[in-house]
Amino acid sequence: MADIKNKIVYQIYPKSFKDSNGDGIGDLRGVIEKLDYLADLGVDYLWLTPFFVSPQKDNGYDVADYLAIDPRFGTMADFDELVQAAAAKGLKIMLDMVLCHTSDQHQWFQRALAGDEKYRQYYILRDGRHKKSEGDPGEPPTNWQCAFGGSAWQWEPRLGKWYLHLHDVSQPDLDWTNPQVREELAKVVRFWKERGVAGFRFDVINLIAKPEIFADDTKGLGRRLFADGPHIHEYLRELVQKAGIDGMMTVGEMASTDLPNCVLYTRPADHELSMAFSFHHLKVDYKDGDKWSLMEPDMAELKRLFADWQTGMAKADGWNALFWCNHDQPRIVSRLGDDKKYRVESAKMLAACIHLMRGTPYIYQGEELGMTNAGYTSIEDYRDVESLNAYRILLEQGKTEDEALKILAARSRDNGRTPMQWSNQKYAGFSTVEPWIPLTKNYTAINVEAAQKNENSILAFYKTLIKLRHEMPIIAEGDIRFIEEDNPHVIAYERAWQGERLTVLCNFRPTSVKLCHATLQDFAGSQKLIGNYPGREERLRPYEVLVFYSRT
Ligand code: GLC
Ligand code: CA
């Protein structure tokens, strides 16, 4: 097993990272240009989201050719150069494998449409219900809903069947029960491994195994029936073995997967993945579990989830990916922090809160600057297929345009997809022309150049956190125990390792608060390892994080 415990991953969304050729779209050469910045930040792995040939209906998660690079992102020569140039700076590349579905433009689907029986069996095709005659589509085979709104089934006359798409209608799901499909996908992963890739992120991998019997979900939208389905652990072990990636840095996207399954996915003894992204902690502000229904974050639930997952995974030898942000999430400082008055304090507190936990931290581009939500006020600003669908559905449900826009402003995936803010120049130093998606206006103040000039910047704080994990085995290896469990304002925990102790106290409120069980006096003899305010006071200040280190 590669040593993953003291490593940090930085996620790059190439389309929004850096445009090198002035077409408004970020690209691979843009990433090459910024390797010095990334090496200076100190991270170990760069995870790039998909840049394969794609019609971009879902920004590259609709792959039309797994083995070729979309010309808008560059060429294979650019990619090879990226791997080498990164390696020269001690950075490893991780790629995003979208193996649950293809684009409908993929040649496999195109051949299926043309009637090739072999490729029809690559996808999940079913007859409709209540057919009145041959050729009548009838109704969708089940009531399952796709992730972006509406039925998960699409009638396709050229197939004479309905096909399953758990995401956009342009993303038909692959049939993993077909051994040929599994073989092809293992070849894809192996291809990239042989090109020098050091790790993989597997997109919606918990959804690859569909139930044996397709039936209506009488309690929900279907997800509980098709997540973590039959044989999934076998499929993963087979993939890992055939692609030859056992022991590499691998992470599975496991939205809605429970803890016991995440243990099975990540326990080294099982030779599946090295870690899992679980998303429960990013749903604590979903009213009744609905992303498009706003609610204040439920702090008690957030605390409970961290405590359960951190201690539960540790007990069973599982391993967590630690993250707040990615290309599907709003910016954390706008969500659980304060993106105005206490932007700097809250961004640092949120960072320390997860970076000092047990697991491997992920930083999403711009998070290290405290980048905020997009602040879009018009539907014209949005690009994301999920957001555009949600807007339409919200209006259909009777919301006003203003109400729908307010929800999008808080929840849209585009909040995380605005161009990286490199400088206060026109287009934020991201491009020389109008970017493919509007910038967040605050780039004039929040940008890399400004952060680099300030030794107290959020960026500087991230660098320190990264360095601490590299240098202190207690952060990578230590046990974890949650304290202050009934304190509704504070998330607090202790790490312990070979006679050392680290205590992490995080105030999630814009006001100063007291600890319930300890007092800050109790730490008089401990060293303050890191914090986001000078010195220490009786109470935790707004969004304060205090980290104490002691030897027992
Ligand atoms: C994952 C990706 C997301 C994409 C979806 C479908 O959730 O992170 O961006 O839309 O899978 O591939
Ligand atoms: Ca470009």
Side-chain angles (χ1 to χ4, degrees):
M1 167 77 51
D3 192 5
I4 52 166
K5 297 190 171 178
N6 66 353
K7 299 294 185 284
I8 291 96
V9 183
Y10 187 91
Q11 184 192 348
I12 295 178
Y13 197 67
K15 203 170 186 176
S16 298
F17 191 64
K18 176 73 175 79
D19 172 22
S20 73
N21 61 348
D23 62 359
I25 301 173
D27 44 56
L28 294 179
R29 298 215 68 83
V31 180
I32 297 176
E33 278 178 30
K34 294 298 180 184
L35 287 173
D36 280 336
Y37 169 75
L38 298 164
D40 180 59
L41 183 59
V43 297
D44 303 285
Y45 286 82
L46 307 176
W47 149 30
L48 276 71
T49 60
F51 46 72
F52 314 107
V53 171
S54 159
Q56 299 283 318
K57 292 268 167 43
D58 185 19
N59 272 345
Y61 284 92
D62 46 329
V63 180
D65 185 348
Y66 290 107
L67 305 181
I69 291 172
D70 197 301
R72 79 193 91 196
F73 292 117
T75 63
M76 200 54 100
D78 293 334
F79 177 75
D80 290 340
E81 188 180 326
L82 169 64
V83 173
Q84 284 189 8
K89 297 183 196 299
L91 296 164
K92 298 191 167 108
I93 303 294
M94 276 171 87
L95 291 196
D96 209 320
M97 296 285 108
V98 191
L99 308 183
C100 184
H101 46 257
T102 66
S103 159
D104 59 3
Q105 300 305 306
H106 195 288
Q107 57 160 330
W108 299 340
F109 196 71
Q110 290 296 316
R111 287 192 191 166
L113 287 178
D116 187 329
E117 192 48 41
K118 172 174 170 194
Y119 292 101
R120 285 172 63 96
Q121 290 182 16
Y122 274 36
Y123 294 93
I124 300 173
L125 313 182
R126 291 288 187 278
D127 285 324
R129 289 191 288 193
H130 314 303
K131 279 170 52 162
K132 295 203 183 63
S133 60
E134 208 37 52
D136 170 25
E139 283 159 32
T142 65
N143 68 348
W144 304 349
Q145 299 286 297
C146 78
F148 301 152
S151 173
W153 293 97
Q154 177 67 25
W155 170 254
E156 174 46 70
R158 284 169 289 177
L159 298 167
K161 300 269 180 191
W162 297 78
Y163 69 84
L164 182 68
H165 61 90
L166 296 183
H167 293 84
D168 186 51
V169 57
S170 69
Q171 294 167 304
D173 279 57
L174 287 162
D175 185 356
W176 276 68
T177 65
N178 179 345
Q180 262 176 331
V181 167
R182 303 202 300 271
E183 192 70 41
E184 296 260 23
L185 296 176
K187 271 199 273 177
V188 168
V189 179
R190 182 177 279 278
F191 171 88
W192 289 107
K193 180 195 168 194
E194 286 168 359
R195 280 207 108 87
V197 166
F200 295 95
R201 179 253 189 195
F202 291 100
D203 188 62
V204 291
I205 198 74
N206 62 338
L207 303 183
I208 58 174
K210 313 301 192 270
E212 261 139 30
I213 295 168
F214 283 21
D216 276 355
D217 183 354
T218 50
K219 290 195 201 125
L221 306 178
R223 203 174 175 94
R224 59 190 188 91
L225 302 180
F226 47 73
D228 312 304
H231 310 293
I232 189 154
H233 295 287
E234 280 156 58
Y235 293 158
L236 270 178
R237 281 196 292 271
E238 181 191 277
L239 175 74
V240 163
Q241 188 241 322
K242 286 206 170 129
I245 59 168
D246 192 18
M248 284 173 78
M249 176 81 156
T250 52
V251 56
E253 187 195 23
M254 307 287 181
S256 77
T257 293
D258 59 12
L259 201 153
N261 260 304
C262 275
V263 167
L264 295 178
Y265 287 125
T266 64
R267 212 166 43 173
D270 287 336
H271 303 280
E272 294 184 26
L273 303 175
S274 40
M275 66 193 84
F277 288 119
S278 94
F279 287 77
H280 303 278
H281 67 298
L282 294 177
K283 297 180 182 168
V284 297
D285 53 4
Y286 289 9
K287 193 163 170 213
D288 305 321
D290 175 10
K291 167 169 179 172
W292 304 105
S293 192
L294 302 183
M295 180 180 95
E296 281 299 305
D298 180 342
M299 262 303 277
E301 179 68 358
L302 184 66
K303 281 172 68 94
R304 192 186 62 73
L305 284 165
F306 274 134
D308 284 0
W309 278 79
Q310 284 283 303
T311 51
M313 290 289 270
K315 225 182 270 162
D317 205 21
W319 193 253
N320 287 298
L322 305 169
F323 73 109
W324 287 123
C325 296
N326 67 28
H327 62 291
D328 295 328
Q329 297 292 328
R331 294 286 181 174
I332 200 62
V333 70
S334 301
R335 191 172 180 184
L336 292 182
D338 171 348
D339 63 8
K340 305 215 163 51
K341 184 167 177 204
Y342 293 114
R343 189 182 64 88
V344 174
E345 291 80 358
S346 61
K348 291 178 181 174
M349 180 280 287
L350 289 161
C353 180
I354 57 168
H355 275 248
L356 301 173
M357 284 184 184
R358 178 180 178 279
T360 299
Y362 284 66
I363 301 170
Y364 177 62
Q365 63 183 48
E367 182 185 335
E368 75 279 18
L369 307 174
M371 271 178 65
T372 65
N373 277 351
Y376 295 160
T377 50
S378 155
I379 193 63
E380 308 296 312
D381 293 335
Y382 289 92
R383 300 288 179 269
D384 168 31
V385 55
E386 184 197 41
S387 308
L388 297 173
N389 285 346
Y391 183 71
R392 186 176 39 76
I393 294 169
L394 288 166
L395 294 187
E396 280 164 17
Q397 288 169 353
K399 295 264 187 305
T400 65
E401 287 180 11
D402 277 357
E403 286 165 343
L405 283 171
K406 190 171 159 237
I407 296 175
L408 251 54
R411 294 292 152 85
S412 167
R413 305 196 294 182
D414 282 339
N415 284 307
R417 299 178 180 184
T418 62
M420 177 75 175
Q421 297 168 192
W422 294 103
S423 73
N424 64 5
Q425 281 156 29
K426 202 166 180 200
Y427 308 126
F430 163 75
S431 178
T432 50
V433 301
E434 182 88 27
W436 69 279
I437 188 170
L439 286 149
T440 306
K441 293 208 178 67
N442 58 24
Y443 74 84
T444 47
I446 304 172
N447 60 65
V448 169
E449 253 178 45
Q452 283 171 335
K453 287 189 199 129
N454 174 359
E455 60 180 22
N456 283 320
S457 65
I458 300 167
L459 178 66
F461 193 83
Y462 269 86
K463 285 191 201 175
T464 308
L465 287 172
I466 293 165
K467 206 159 155 271
L468 287 174
R469 176 169 289 262
H470 285 157
E471 289 172 358
M472 295 180 71
I474 184 170
I475 298 173
E477 310 277 348
D479 295 334
I480 187 159
R481 182 172 82 90
F482 280 74
I483 55 176
E484 290 285 313
E485 278 181 294
D486 47 359
N487 186 330
H489 312 299
V490 169
I491 291 184
Y493 53 88
E494 263 176 19
R495 308 291 310 272
W497 187 75
Q498 297 193 355
E500 296 179 48
R501 172 169 309 172
L502 210 59
T503 308
V504 181
L505 306 170
C506 304
N507 176 11
F508 274 71
R509 297 289 180 220
T511 51
S512 70
V513 304
K514 271 200 328 228
L515 294 179
C516 298
H517 298 279
T519 68
L520 292 181
Q521 281 306 320
D522 299 343
F523 299 99
S526 307
Q527 174 197 344
K528 175 174 158 188
L529 187 70
I530 184 172
N532 56 352
Y533 280 86
R536 50 176 108 162
E537 283 182 4
E538 276 293 303
R539 297 161 70 96
L540 288 172
R541 288 161 278 188
Y543 296 107
E544 180 161 14
V545 58
L546 264 177
V547 183
F548 294 112
Y549 172 81
S550 61
R551 279 189 156 281
T552 45

